Amino acid sequence: MSTSGLKAIAPVPTAADFLDIVLSKTQRKTPTVIHKNFKISRIRNFYMRKVKFCQDCFDEKLGAILTEFPMLDDLHPFLSSLMNVLYDKNHYKLALGQLRTARHLIDHVAKDYCRLLKFGDSLYRCKQLKKAALGRMATIMRRQKDPLAYLEQVRQHISRLPAIDPNTRTLLVCGYPNVGKSSFINKVTRADVDVQPYAFTTKSLFVGHLDYKYLRWQVIDTPGILDHPLEEMNTIEMQSITAMAHLKSAILYFMDLSEQCGYTVEAQCKLFHSIKPLFATKPTVLVLNKIDVMKLEELHPDNRALVQEIIDTEGVICVQTSCATEEGVMDLKNKACDALLAHRVDLKMKGSKITSVANRIHVAQPKPRDDVVRAPCIPDAVKNRKKFDKDDPDRPRLLRDEELEQGGAGVYNINIKRDYLLANPEWKFDIMPEFMDGKNVADFVDPDIADKLEALEREEERLEAEGFYANEEEMFDSDDEREALEMVDRVGHKNAAQMGKKGTKNQARLPRTAGLRTITELTEQLTKAGYDPSRIQERAEMLAKIQGAKSKRKRDDDDDEDVDMESADDEDGFEDEDMDVDAGAKKVKKVKTNSGRAVPKRITAAREGQMSGLRDERQLNKTRELHKFAQRPRNALAKAGEADRKIQTKMPRHLFAGKRKGGKTDRR
């Protein structure tokens, strides 16, 4: 578990906020109406429910706090020691223990008072017992004021800690204050550690990340350490000691040979020997920093002997760097990463897991196919190839160089003619005129263009003389044009060409010859097929007579109606002009009213279509009313637009919905 897993802890409320949250929730989530006339069992249950609900809320909130804050014994040794250094392990455990005790006390209070409420003999006594129970719970929580405040401070500090993974590849930078540790971190990672010319600028652990050999590495910058006993070190120094003791990392011990940090070379060497037991089994790199001011060769012989003693120690790698000029910085990073990788591989090779893995690995050895010796061959052109150097005057000239000389990006225009493949390279940049001697040059690209044009004109004259164009059917530029014109002929619609397939989408799927076949053609086809069509002919003649009789009767009825209407108009004073009927009107009838006066009534084709399936006018009116009623919700929604002002709810729902009664609790 890394420190990033500790940052999801929820805020810890103060004791007063804790009480407000729990008591308000108890009031909102439980019924609030009770009467003395209720049965005593109902009154008891009413108040017992409030006590139990309040106890459950306290238990839930305190349980969440105790669960989210980690147990120090369950953490990685580095994280456990770091929290002990920063927050004092005893104080931390005591705060969590007090909250755990408070939760148990609240549970006991709730159980005791629920037992007393079972024997309450009146509304007043039950109410007082409930009041006493909630009061004792509140008193217990008020006593937890200090533990809650302490845990909130711990939570805020944990959230500001860097995300340190104790199990990943790590480079740990340590040494005296102001020797250049933070400057190195800023050079090799994207971390932004404050760098100042005074001691103890870095007061906590800082983490940066870098990539090496396609792996992610974390680099930890530790605060400076002074050479004094462990029990005398302060919290800032103990963070560095904790990291060196518990993290599986490569140790980068920085030394300032120029003594600009304020500490002598002798003191820095003593500090190395005093803290060396912390990283005796880890790869160690001695970094001699600030060589731009003082190099190892320039040191006093006594100091150089002390430094040489550290360099000669087994397993110590020495690198000289300068963060100001960046000399040796990348070399230091590479050597430290390689040393740590080799150390991790050695540990795995010495472990017990390697035996089970090695049994499953088969290393293939290539065998020669014959006795011929084939030595590796590297072409001379590759050997003699020089590395590109922009300051070399003999280097190949690039297009980018031309671009910069001719104005840069946005001004320079590449010359395409340089890539032309012509018989003579000198022709590449020749200018081709469009007109020469008053004539178009393109006309003379083909030397036989005049003969071809004359032959084409003669062929056209011959085809026209033979009548080829006069007898030819109409020509179309495309199939779409031909189909559109065919549709115009078939449908007879002036916009059929634009209709396309959409216009014929809903047409009936009939055979193309269905409208052209007559009874005579049908009888002839059936006779040829060997069938007797006499019965079909008789039936067709009979249907034709019936249809003719119906048509004659209908025409006679229409004539009689017209005569009746004219006479009625003359009697009632109606004029023909007043009886204007819409284009869709079919009939005009006279309806007798209670007064005996005849009133004209228009029945249109549209109205008859609405009456289909209905018994009378009453049913039609009822249908219209039901249709309007069904449209109301839709019309109401249609009134609101995007620009309409919308006022959001300003209060939570429970404050609008009222209180629950003593009955069901699944809804308000």
Side-chain angles (χ1 to χ4, degrees):
M1 181 180 181
S2 67
T3 52
S4 59
L6 303 176
K7 297 184 179 182
I9 302 175
V12 180
T14 62
D17 293 341
F18 210 107
L19 287 177
D20 289 343
I21 293 169
V22 174
L23 296 180
S24 173
K25 188 176 182 181
T26 304
Q27 182 73 354
R28 288 187 291 108
K29 297 288 188 180
T30 55
T32 55
V33 178
I34 192 72
H35 297 289
K36 62 181 179 179
N37 298 328
F38 289 167
K39 291 171 63 175
I40 190 63
S41 60
R42 183 174 175 183
I43 295 174
R44 290 169 184 164
N45 289 333
F46 177 87
Y47 286 110
M48 285 170 61
R49 179 179 172 188
K50 283 190 172 292
V51 174
K52 288 180 180 177
F53 188 89
C54 185
Q55 179 253 327
D56 288 340
C57 289
F58 276 117
D59 190 79
E60 178 188 354
K61 296 287 184 185
L62 290 172
I65 294 174
L66 293 171
T67 304
E68 288 184 334
F69 278 90
M71 299 297 295
L72 296 185
D73 298 336
D74 299 336
L75 292 175
H76 188 277
F78 164 68
L79 299 176
S80 178
S81 300
L82 183 64
M83 293 189 70
N84 182 25
V85 168
L86 295 175
Y87 315 123
D88 186 9
K89 178 169 62 175
N90 296 329
H91 195 175
Y92 178 80
K93 288 185 175 181
L94 186 62
L96 293 180
Q98 286 178 312
L99 292 187
R100 195 173 288 108
T101 304
R103 184 169 67 164
H104 291 309
L105 288 175
I106 289 173
D107 290 347
H108 287 305
V109 168
K111 288 179 182 177
D112 293 342
Y113 276 90
C114 283
R115 193 178 299 114
L116 292 173
L117 279 167
K118 288 181 181 178
F119 300 98
D121 56 356
S122 66
L123 173 65
Y124 176 75
R125 192 178 298 275
C126 292
K127 184 175 182 179
Q128 292 302 106
L129 287 171
K130 185 269 297 183
K131 190 174 181 181
L134 266 61
R136 287 192 61 184
M137 294 181 194
T139 302
I140 293 171
M141 278 310 303
R142 286 195 190 97
R143 291 174 184 165
Q144 311 308 316
K145 172 184 173 184
D146 294 336
L148 291 173
Y150 168 76
L151 289 176
E152 174 61 14
Q153 292 294 323
V154 170
R155 184 198 67 82
Q156 291 179 5
H157 194 275
I158 286 178
S159 66
R160 292 192 292 267
L161 282 179
I164 300 175
D165 187 355
N167 298 314
T168 191
R169 295 162 292 275
T170 306
L171 303 181
L172 192 66
V173 183
C174 61
Y176 261 97
N178 209 27
V179 294
K181 301 186 296 297
S182 300
S183 300
F184 172 73
I185 291 278
N186 292 339
K187 292 293 182 184
V188 298
T189 69
R190 298 185 65 182
D192 187 15
V193 187
D194 189 20
V195 177
Q196 297 294 340
Y198 50 81
F200 288 106
T201 304
T202 304
K203 298 181 181 179
S204 61
L205 300 177
F206 282 88
V207 179
H209 294 85
L210 59 87
D211 291 328
Y212 180 72
K213 290 189 176 179
Y214 303 102
L215 298 173
R216 176 55 60 93
W217 301 67
Q218 67 178 3
V219 187
I220 300 179
D221 181 19
T222 61
I225 309 171
L226 300 180
D227 187 17
H228 48 222
L230 196 65
E231 57 272 8
E232 296 180 9
M233 291 186 177
N234 56 20
T235 303
I236 297 175
E237 294 174 289
M238 284 302 298
Q239 295 180 55
S240 303
I241 299 298
T242 302
M244 284 188 284
H246 296 289
L247 289 178
K248 298 177 182 178
S249 59
I251 304 297
L252 277 63
Y253 184 79
F254 272 68
M255 289 183 62
D256 180 10
L257 301 182
S258 66
E259 299 182 355
Q260 290 181 348
C261 60
Y263 304 97
T264 62
V265 175
E266 182 182 0
Q268 297 178 55
C269 293
K270 284 183 179 180
L271 176 63
F272 179 86
H273 291 295
S274 64
I275 64 175
K276 183 182 175 183
L278 294 173
F279 47 81
T281 59
K282 299 172 186 175
T284 307
V285 180
L286 178 64
V287 184
L288 305 179
N289 198 22
K290 303 184 182 180
I291 59 172
D292 55 323
V293 181
M294 175 71 72
K295 293 185 179 181
L296 178 62
E297 296 78 11
E298 302 171 0
L299 268 181
H300 190 272
D302 296 339
N303 291 339
R304 183 171 181 180
L306 295 173
V307 176
Q308 192 65 37
E309 181 184 356
I310 298 176
I311 297 173
D312 295 339
T313 306
E314 183 181 358
V316 175
I317 303 170
C318 179
V319 180
Q320 299 190 47
T321 63
S322 171
C323 294
T325 61
E326 299 187 11
E327 182 182 352
V329 172
M330 290 299 110
D331 185 36
L332 169 61
K333 181 193 79 170
N334 297 341
K335 286 186 177 180
C337 293
D338 291 336
L340 182 59
L341 284 178
H343 178 71
R344 289 165 68 98
V345 171
D346 290 340
L347 288 179
K348 291 179 180 178
M349 293 294 291
K350 294 176 183 177
S352 59
K353 288 185 179 180
I354 189 63
T355 56
S356 60
V357 176
N359 292 335
R360 296 186 300 231
I361 297 176
H362 172 70
V363 181
Q365 296 292 339
K367 296 181 180 179
R369 60 187 177 184
D370 50 31
D371 298 334
V372 179
V373 178
R374 295 176 175 85
C377 177
I378 302 175
D380 295 335
V382 176
K383 291 181 179 179
N384 299 331
R385 183 181 298 168
K386 294 190 299 184
K387 188 177 180 180
F388 180 81
D389 184 9
K390 63 180 181 180
D391 298 328
D392 184 7
D394 299 331
R395 64 179 174 82
R397 189 171 176 78
L398 304 178
L399 276 176
R400 182 171 181 79
D401 301 330
E402 292 186 12
E403 179 183 350
L404 294 175
E405 291 175 1
Q406 300 183 23
V411 179
Y412 171 71
N413 191 12
I414 189 170
N415 191 355
I416 305 175
K417 293 183 178 181
R418 64 188 302 164
D419 298 325
Y420 285 176
L421 299 177
L422 302 177
N424 187 353
E426 297 178 358
W427 298 345
K428 286 184 179 180
F429 301 101
D430 289 351
I431 299 175
M432 290 183 60
E434 295 185 9
F435 299 95
M436 183 180 291
D437 300 333
K439 296 181 180 180
N440 194 342
V441 176
D443 293 342
F444 300 94
V445 173
D446 188 353
D448 303 329
I449 187 69
D451 299 336
K452 291 179 180 178
L453 179 60
E454 188 178 354
L456 184 62
E457 289 177 351
R458 286 199 301 269
E459 185 180 1
E460 289 291 322
E461 291 174 358
R462 180 179 59 79
L463 291 174
E464 189 174 358
E466 293 176 357
F468 176 78
Y469 294 113
N471 299 331
E472 190 178 6
E473 296 180 357
E474 189 173 0
M475 299 175 65
F476 302 102
D477 293 337
S478 64
D479 293 340
D480 294 338
E481 185 181 353
R482 177 178 55 77
E483 290 177 2
L485 290 175
E486 287 179 359
M487 188 176 294
V488 170
D489 297 337
R490 184 169 67 251
V491 180
H493 195 285
K494 63 180 181 180
N495 292 329
Q498 285 79 19
M499 289 167 62
K501 292 184 179 179
K502 291 183 180 179
T504 58
K505 183 171 65 173
N506 296 324
Q507 288 185 357
R509 296 294 182 262
L510 294 176
R512 287 176 291 179
T513 58
L516 306 177
R517 188 172 297 175
T518 61
I519 290 293
T520 306
E521 295 175 355
L522 184 62
T523 54
E524 290 176 358
Q525 295 291 335
L526 289 174
T527 305
K528 290 180 181 178
Y531 296 101
D532 183 15
S534 58
R535 293 190 62 186
I536 297 176
Q537 281 183 316
E538 292 174 2
R539 180 171 175 78
E541 291 173 0
M542 182 180 65
L543 290 174
K545 288 179 182 179
I546 293 172
Q547 190 67 27
K550 283 184 178 180
S551 300
K552 186 174 182 303
R553 194 181 308 120
K554 187 175 182 181
R555 284 197 301 271
D556 295 342
D557 292 343
D558 291 343
D559 294 341
D560 295 342
E561 276 189 23
D562 293 342
V563 173
D564 293 342
M565 287 300 299
E566 288 176 4
S567 59
D569 289 345
D570 296 340
E571 293 175 5
D572 297 338
F574 285 106
E575 303 267 337
D576 290 341
E577 317 172 322
D578 301 333
M579 296 303 295
D580 244 353
V581 185
D582 295 339
K586 289 178 62 180
K587 302 177 182 178
V588 180
K589 293 187 178 179
K590 296 289 286 185
V591 181
K592 293 274 183 138
T593 61
N594 292 334
S595 61
R597 186 171 181 271
V599 178
K601 179 181 178 183
R602 298 172 176 82
I603 300 180
T604 63
R607 189 171 182 81
E608 283 193 356
Q610 293 176 356
M611 287 290 293
S612 62
L614 301 177
R615 187 169 59 252
D616 51 14
E617 290 283 333
R618 184 178 177 185
Q619 277 195 354
L620 177 62
N621 295 335
K622 183 67 175 176
T623 305
R624 287 178 174 171
E625 289 178 5
L626 290 174
H627 178 68
K628 290 180 181 177
F629 183 76
Q631 290 289 338
R632 281 182 190 173
R634 196 174 304 166
N635 294 341
L637 290 175
K639 291 177 183 177
E642 293 181 358
D644 290 341
R645 184 182 176 199
K646 186 175 182 181
I647 302 177
Q648 301 287 348
T649 305
K650 295 181 181 178
M651 300 174 70
R653 185 187 171 197
H654 69 271
L655 294 178
F656 282 130
K659 297 295 183 182
R660 273 198 246 169
K661 306 297 185 288
K664 294 186 178 180
T665 60
D666 58 344
R667 63 182 183 275
R668 291 197 179 276

